[in-house]
Amino acid sequence: MKFKSLLTTATIALGLATGAVAQDKTKVGFVYVGPVGDGGWTYEHNKGRLAVEEHFGDKVETVFVESVPEGPDAERVMTQMALDGADLIFTTSFGYMDPTINVAKKFPDVKFEHATGYKTADNVSVYSARFYEGRAVQGHIAGKMTKSNTIGYIGSYPIPEVIRGINSAYIHAKKVNPDVEFKIVWAYTWFDPAKEADAATVLIEQGADVILQHTDSTAPQAAAQEAGNVITFGQASDMGEYAPMPRVSSIIDNWAPYYIARVQAVADGTWSTANTWDGIGPGMVEIGEISDAVPADVKEEALALKAALADGSYHAFTGPLKKQDGSDWLADGETADDGTLAGMNFYVEGLEGEIPQ
Amino acid sequence: MDLGEINPVLLVASLMVAATPLLLAAIGELVVEKAGVLNLGVEGMMIIGAISGFAISVETGSPWLGFIAAAIGGAILSLLFVLLTQVALANQVASGLALTLFGLGFSALLGQSYVGVKPPSMGEINIPFISDIPVIGPILFQHDPILYLGIALIAAVWAVLKYTRIGLILRAVGENHDAAHALGYKVIKIRIMAIMFGGACAGLGGAYISLIRVPQWTEGMTAGVGWIALALVVFASWKPWRVLLGAYLFGGITVLQLNLQAAGVAIPVEYLAMSPYIITILVLVILSADKSSAPASLGRIFHASH
């Protein structure tokens, strides 16, 4: 009932706000999973939207609806946007995948862009960032800096994107600290500050002195700050307000160049279905400043790792690697192919616990 | 799996913290519903409390002033509900939903400049000797004052409803407003007071999240606690001590399931994640087998001409 009325209000407001606009403008819609003020994931997508507005000025009009639940409600929001004349719609969460495909079928002339998914169509592109490259850098710093050898990881949902991050962080933490152990908690939410803070507190109480998060709010940072002597990493956004401690570095999603390029393509009529997956090299993933809380030599190594990932001389998943069950995955020197990574549903050897199915 | 890593003392201590926002919001709503009013705007009043408490404590440096501001903020927002339902005689369900939507949006607006700010810490009550007793000390005597206020409120509401004349009048208004009116009680006035009390409690609950449990301000940070509080009141059969039990069960299992996950217990995570809801509902449904029912005038509009 709550979401229903929320959405009704939102879509009506959208309709009112956009009904009178002239048709020669390119109209771009954004569907967000959290509030634009979450300080993380949605905040960065919204920054991308603002960059589009700034870049194109009067030629483009953008609309957005925030806090749209993943599921059927998302379909209604997208449908309304398309009916209101949007030319291009960005749907910015994994759970919007099927709704996006469904709505795209009904509006063949509208272009859709779905973040972090893998289903494409004639008018649906997918785009994502290779966050796992950033996770490799985090894992390195975490492995070097943990004193309790216990690293806590707050997962959102057990989807490939999150599992890739866990594996990548673990591999690189283990490489520099063979005794390291990961404790993984699934929050089953992208955004619930109280629950995220509880999860962080629980992990800290159980001995973790590094907290990695794959949820969208800054709550775990606040919980770590409260506990003291725990380090964290900004997720999706810099979360620089928690630097230099507990936040010692971050992964920043930089969507602006991609959004601008895609809007330009629609305006020019050159848009075509694409499957974009960029990492540190092209700048879609940025590593936030490594703070002074990190020893200088560790910082240097981390930056070297970042550089190697950026120029392609090193892949975050390089063999020899085994799966959790002990079976071989990658031979010595072999690197993971994108297909396996995109659908990753297994832990690498050494991680404990099972992935919820 | 290593259950030894779960520290039961810390577990109990943190479950009390996790339960308090829910407890505060639910006890307020209980009083409102006992007066015969269904206010679905708990979530909205909580989030307004969260931001007004946060903003004032950051500006003044005093968490106490923050909590007072949160209670006032929640009560002021509830006045909007009063205006709609008690003065304009609008539908209570629709007005409550509107209150939540308004609260969520308005709090986001108010909170623009408070994202990423750290609030002053309230600190814990530390009683010499008593707080240092092993096990009992950390569980019972090392918390922030608001947590004790929550428990005290439960006791106070229970005592007032059960033993005092005011409680009797409030219940009469909730059970049969026409009869109460005929006896000369000011139905509207009593309901307004109850609604404002509910708003103040919800505001406190919200501020507890933004000032103590998390502590920070993020848009939409109450993330549905208000809705759980509403359900809790019903499942607790409008009885204060059951609200306490339900809130502690819910908070407790939420924290426990995170602990079990972190310790690597081999129970599928999906079951752990839904366990707080299921167990709380089950226990309270079993308890409510005594057929205690809702206040008879709950949700009905009163006008003196009827």
Side-chain angles (χ1 to χ4, degrees), chain B:
Chain B
M1 180 195 329
D2 189 1
L3 284 179
E5 289 179 10
I6 301 177
N7 181 335
V9 175
L10 287 178
L11 176 70
V12 176
S14 52
L15 87 81
M16 294 173 79
V17 172
T20 299
L22 186 56
L23 182 89
L24 284 165
I27 194 63
E29 178 67 11
L30 182 138
V31 170
V32 177
E33 294 191 14
K34 271 287 181 190
V37 179
L38 182 65
N39 184 356
L40 296 184
V42 182
E43 179 85 2
M45 301 185 297
M46 283 188 87
I47 193 87
I48 286 291
I51 183 56
S52 37
F54 191 87
I56 296 299
S57 67
V58 166
E59 299 301 339
T60 62
S62 158
W64 280 106
L65 284 178
F67 275 105
I68 293 169
I72 295 173
I76 289 177
L77 187 66
S78 74
L79 276 179
L80 188 64
F81 183 78
V82 164
L83 192 71
L84 289 169
T85 62
Q86 304 303 309
V87 180
L89 302 185
N91 178 293
Q92 292 182 0
V93 171
S95 307
L97 289 171
L99 202 65
T100 290
L101 292 174
F102 175 71
L104 286 171
F106 192 53
S107 65
L109 180 69
L110 290 176
Q112 290 289 332
S113 51
Y114 291 98
V115 173
V117 178
K118 186 175 158 47
S121 172
M122 181 155 227
E124 289 160 351
I125 288 186
N126 243 327
I127 312 158
F129 307 116
I130 303 180
S131 297
D132 299 330
I133 305 171
V135 185
I136 302 172
I139 292 180
L140 293 181
F141 302 111
Q142 282 185 20
H143 289 293
D144 54 273
I146 303 298
L147 188 142
Y148 300 110
L149 176 73
I151 301 171
L153 262 179
I154 295 271
V157 167
W158 169 75
V160 167
L161 283 178
K162 189 159 177 155
Y163 295 113
T164 69
R165 189 174 169 75
I166 300 171
L168 194 65
I169 296 171
L170 186 90
R171 274 160 35 207
V173 167
E175 290 298 337
N176 189 331
H177 49 217
D178 293 322
H181 176 67
L183 285 170
Y185 295 123
K186 308 271 187 228
V187 173
I188 300 284
K189 205 168 125 195
I190 291 161
R191 285 190 170 163
I192 290 175
M193 307 289 258
I195 293 168
M196 287 180 67
F197 176 78
C201 287
L204 281 177
Y208 194 84
I209 298 180
S210 65
L211 287 176
I212 292 175
R213 190 169 165 203
V214 173
Q216 60 168 216
W217 164 251
T218 314
E219 271 179 43
M221 69 182 307
T222 46
V225 178
W227 298 101
I228 296 168
L230 274 166
L232 189 61
V233 173
V234 177
F235 286 117
S237 323
W238 296 269
K239 291 191 163 72
W241 291 112
R242 286 190 195 170
V243 165
L244 179 90
L245 173 74
Y248 274 28
L249 259 178
F250 188 84
I253 300 167
T254 306
V255 174
L256 179 66
Q257 69 99 353
L258 291 171
N259 264 292
L260 290 176
Q261 277 198 46
V265 175
I267 304 171
V269 180
E270 296 86 340
Y271 295 115
L272 288 175
M274 68 184 172
S275 58
Y277 302 88
I278 292 184
I279 296 177
T280 308
I281 290 174
L282 264 183
V283 169
L284 292 174
V285 164
I286 293 168
L287 275 179
S288 61
D290 58 359
K291 302 279 187 293
S292 29
S293 59
S297 292
L298 184 60
R300 283 174 47 209
I301 290 171
F302 173 76
H303 189 262
S305 63
H306 290 307

